[in-house]
Amino acid sequence: MSDRAERIAAVGFDYAAHETEPVAACNLCGSTDLAELSTRDRYGYPAPLAMCRRCGLGFLSPRLTAAEYGAFYEDVYRPLVSAFHGRRIDAETVQDDQRGYAAELVEFLRSTLPSPPRTVMDVGGSTGIVAGAVRDAFGAEATVLDPAPDELAVAAAAGMETIAGFAEDFRPGGRRWDLVLLCQTVDHLLDVRGTLAAMRGMTSVDGHAFVDVLDLLIAARKQGSVEGAAKIDHPYYLTRDTALAFFRRAGFAPVAERLSGDGHWGFVLAPAEPGEPDWDGLARGAAAMIEELQVR
Ligand SMILES: [Zn+2]
């Protein structure tokens, strides 16, 4: 057994013993025509990765239920990621990483937003590191929406408004923000379409959203296999093309984009009329990805 496999085994998470559910239809296009790319994730857990043949969206199916994911993030996620990387990853180190991330994001927003946002909402904003950096850079009022009360307490102590909950369930009651962020979060969601629809409803008419996405193709090529890119903490696997298709359906148009060194696309989005993506082009892209990535 490799050192890494031993460390992962020592975490003691028996994936197969937890409750999972199939994902019958694609969250982007609704198709049920799926190809199986791989049967195991990077930790060695039996979590099959499917790809929709109609649009190229990747997703785990079956996957942990929502309740199981809640327990997973509570107890297992950080020890597991620490075991995988062979170094301590906890609330403290995550905050350090986020400070660097936030500084880069602020520079990107400064060069792409037409005017400074007066209000910012960070969806899945954790302890408020990113929202706080945006607040300080632009003089905006910051709100953090997150399901974890202990992380929100840190944001509240730093003077931010906090709202406990999931984006999919949040009802803003007509309230809107100039800038709505979804940072390093989309791959962890259980409903990408529902979250983007909620974000569209939270964005001011002349406001913007920012979403970043880890590109499955780039990640799989970098890891040398799709199994190296698959992990139970990511229910979804997007690419630049499927991200743009999600945005179009949700009523967002890209106004700027960047690709970071670790394979994340970052998009600044403006509200637009919802529309249909180029399904034929997506299907051709899906066929090419399945051909390249499928573990045989
Ligand atoms: Zn699809």
Side-chain angles (χ1 to χ4, degrees):
M1 205 187 251
S2 70
D3 288 355
R4 173 178 279 169
E6 275 179 23
R7 291 194 304 265
I8 290 171
V11 173
F13 182 65
D14 181 5
Y15 178 76
H18 289 263
E19 192 185 346
T20 58
E21 60 190 4
V23 181
C26 172
N27 188 254
L28 172 53
C29 78
S31 173
T32 55
D33 187 6
L34 310 177
E36 189 174 84
L37 295 185
S38 61
T39 56
R40 292 197 169 263
D41 77 352
R42 71 178 192 178
Y43 309 113
Y45 297 138
L49 175 56
M51 180 167 279
C52 174
R53 291 186 189 277
R54 181 171 181 233
C55 74
L57 179 66
F59 50 97
L60 300 182
S61 181
R63 71 182 182 199
L64 295 173
T65 61
E68 288 280 6
Y69 266 118
F72 172 77
Y73 281 111
E74 198 79 13
D75 299 327
V76 181
Y77 174 56
R78 281 179 182 152
L80 179 61
V81 176
S82 300
F84 182 81
H85 291 292
R87 61 184 166 89
R88 178 177 67 102
I89 296 170
D90 58 18
E92 197 184 325
T93 66
V94 166
Q95 285 195 317
D96 288 343
D97 289 346
Q98 284 183 343
R99 280 187 196 95
Y101 172 91
E104 277 186 32
L105 175 62
V106 162
E107 286 318 304
F108 183 56
L109 294 173
R110 208 191 288 283
S111 66
T112 53
L113 292 178
S115 59
R118 289 154 300 181
T119 53
V120 56
M121 155 65 96
D122 192 356
V123 175
S126 180
T127 58
I129 295 285
V130 174
V134 171
R135 173 189 66 180
D136 296 346
F138 298 109
E141 284 179 35
T143 307
V144 176
L145 171 65
D146 198 276
D150 53 333
E151 301 195 2
L152 284 181
V154 178
M160 281 168 252
E161 179 189 18
T162 60
I163 301 171
F166 293 94
E168 295 98 316
D169 309 324
F170 177 54
R171 297 287 169 271
R175 198 173 156 197
R176 288 168 188 258
W177 285 263
D178 288 347
L179 178 62
V180 181
L181 305 172
L182 187 72
C183 296
Q184 299 179 303
T185 297
V186 72
D187 335 88
H188 293 267
L189 297 171
L190 296 180
D191 180 4
V192 176
R193 232 186 134 179
T195 302
L196 290 173
M199 288 177 63
R200 177 69 167 78
M202 293 179 219
T203 307
S204 306
V205 177
D206 56 356
H208 293 83
F210 173 84
V211 178
D212 59 4
V213 170
L214 179 64
D215 190 299
L216 172 63
L217 258 185
I218 296 173
R221 285 171 182 164
K222 203 165 128 189
Q223 302 299 331
S225 77
V226 73
E227 285 175 346
K231 43 187 171 179
I232 52 169
D233 25 317
H234 280 186
Y236 287 108
Y237 299 80
L238 283 73
T239 59
R240 180 176 178 275
D241 287 347
T242 53
L244 290 170
F246 265 122
F247 301 147
R248 184 161 172 75
R249 297 205 89 187
F252 281 121
V255 297
E257 66 179 78
R258 64 167 183 177
L259 177 62
S260 64
D262 65 353
H264 278 86
W265 294 99
F267 300 94
V268 174
L269 307 167
E273 280 302 307
E276 293 299 314
D278 171 11
W279 294 115
D280 292 340
L282 287 167
R284 285 193 297 276
M289 282 193 285
I290 292 164
E291 174 66 26
E292 177 179 338
L293 298 178
Q294 200 163 40
V295 177
R296 295 189 181 79

